[in-house]
Amino acid sequence: MKPLKATVAAATAVVLALTAAACGSDDGGGAGDGGDKITVGIKFDQPGLGLKTPDGKYTGFDIDVATYVAKELGFEPGDIEWKEAKSADRETLLQRGDVDFIAATYSINDERAKKVDFAGPYLLAHQDVLVRADDNSIKRPEDLNNKKLCSVTGSTSAQNVKDRIAPKAQLQEYGGYSECLTGLENRAVDALTTDDSILAGYAAQPEHQGKFKLGGFKLSNENYGIGVQKGSDLKNRINTALEKMVSDGSWDEAVKKNFGPANYKNEPAPKIGNIVK
Ligand code: GLU
């Protein structure tokens, strides 16, 4: 990956050159020509948010937000290289410059903000639990104590469980959400905890119909931001893009398209810089 600053500069140069060459020049020029790419970190296993489908396509709200932002930065969809950004890897991916930005259900918090910068927020979600449909033993958050609870390493959800939600739960931390889901299905764990936005997507998958239910607990506020390298000038440019995405109706469209099928009742679009504690 070339550093984004260089690629944006190169893209601008291409546009200027084409403009100078003027009429008749049709080499299909544009921001993406000449191998200019932007690398975006996303989740691969979250239906409705960030999902890599078996035929190699990428779908979800985070994908649509990232695609919109990339376009505003001068990159066509075909210029985007998608890279998996598991929860525990996100800060490192940004710090090493392996990705230009991350849109991966990435909650803004103080700990992370020491290492990376965040544009946004662009969505407000809440931590919840997913249990098997036939399990009536988890009615309140306290019921999670002594239960086998799955969460993902490096997520705010895992940290919240340990810190305050159910310190006596038997927390099992897996590397990804799909592993937790398999564990829940085959009864290796009793519940899966993460953001309601993510859980709604799992519950609604055709192969999971009738198998799982959400607790509806609203255990936290998860303000999704777009992660960038500390000090990057991308932060302001991405904020401008996010504001435009809301004001031109694209945000609403992406919400309907991606959360509609899971019947996820999302919060209204957050104001940029307004983090709900
Ligand atoms: N939004 C939470 C977080 O950033 C949970 C989802 C995730 O792991 O991506 O940790």
Side-chain angles (χ1 to χ4, degrees):
M1 187 204 74
K2 278 190 271 175
L4 181 68
K5 268 182 210 150
T7 55
V8 171
T12 312
V14 169
V15 172
L16 290 175
L18 285 173
T19 315
C23 331
S25 124
D26 183 18
D27 64 358
D33 279 21
D36 293 324
K37 295 275 184 191
I38 187 164
T39 307
V40 181
I42 52 161
K43 291 291 174 62
F44 277 11
D45 63 353
Q46 294 175 347
L49 284 149
L51 185 70
K52 184 176 181 181
T53 60
D55 57 354
K57 293 204 177 69
Y58 300 92
T59 65
F61 186 69
D62 280 341
I63 310 298
D64 288 349
V65 169
T67 305
Y68 188 100
V69 164
K71 175 106 188 171
E72 292 300 304
L73 296 175
F75 296 87
E76 295 300 321
D79 304 328
I80 302 173
E81 260 168 30
W82 302 106
K83 193 173 171 74
E84 185 170 31
K86 292 196 172 190
S87 298
D89 299 340
R90 291 174 291 199
E91 288 82 41
T92 312
L93 285 169
L94 286 170
Q95 285 174 320
R96 283 204 308 234
D98 291 347
V99 293
D100 292 303
F101 68 80
I102 287 184
T105 63
Y106 199 7
S107 298
I108 301 170
N109 70 19
D110 294 344
E111 203 50 40
R112 293 170 178 170
K114 287 180 196 154
K115 300 176 183 160
V116 302
D117 280 348
F118 287 101
Y122 64 92
L123 190 77
L124 174 62
H126 306 282
Q127 187 175 348
D128 199 359
V129 295
L130 191 71
V131 298
R132 286 181 294 274
D134 61 1
D135 185 345
N136 292 318
S137 67
I138 301 172
K139 294 205 178 65
R140 290 164 294 267
E142 308 85 86
D143 296 338
L144 293 166
N145 283 310
N146 303 315
K147 295 275 187 188
K148 288 199 191 89
L149 182 58
C150 195
S151 198
V152 166
T153 315
S155 69
T156 52
S157 332
Q159 198 57 47
N160 289 341
V161 168
K162 290 185 254 190
D163 291 351
R164 57 180 177 85
I165 295 168
K168 294 207 183 93
Q170 299 170 42
L171 183 65
Q172 324 243 333
E173 292 184 58
Y174 293 0
Y177 289 98
S178 35
E179 288 99 302
C180 275
L181 202 65
T182 309
L184 183 61
E185 195 164 8
N186 64 28
R187 299 178 176 265
V189 296
D190 302 309
L192 156 56
T193 185
T194 186
D195 307 337
D196 49 8
S197 46
I198 302 170
L199 297 175
Y202 288 136
Q205 275 181 305
E207 65 269 36
H208 296 146
Q209 286 295 325
K211 285 189 185 164
F212 305 123
K213 61 187 177 192
L214 273 78
F217 295 160
K218 288 205 174 168
L219 298 166
S220 71
N221 294 314
E222 303 295 325
N223 300 266
Y224 290 180
I226 295 198
V228 297
Q229 246 181 14
K230 197 128 202 82
S232 169
D233 67 345
L234 276 184
K235 177 181 163 175
N236 288 337
R237 295 165 65 200
I238 293 176
N239 277 337
T240 305
L242 291 173
E243 261 160 5
K244 185 170 167 199
M245 186 177 184
V246 173
S247 65
D248 73 6
S250 305
W251 189 91
D252 276 328
E253 230 171 82
V255 156
K256 274 197 205 92
K257 176 179 139 203
N258 295 295
F259 297 143
N263 203 19
Y264 175 61
K265 300 275 175 276
N266 63 285
E267 302 271 3
K271 292 259 173 301
I272 296 302
N274 181 21
I275 293 155
V276 182
K277 290 279 178 187

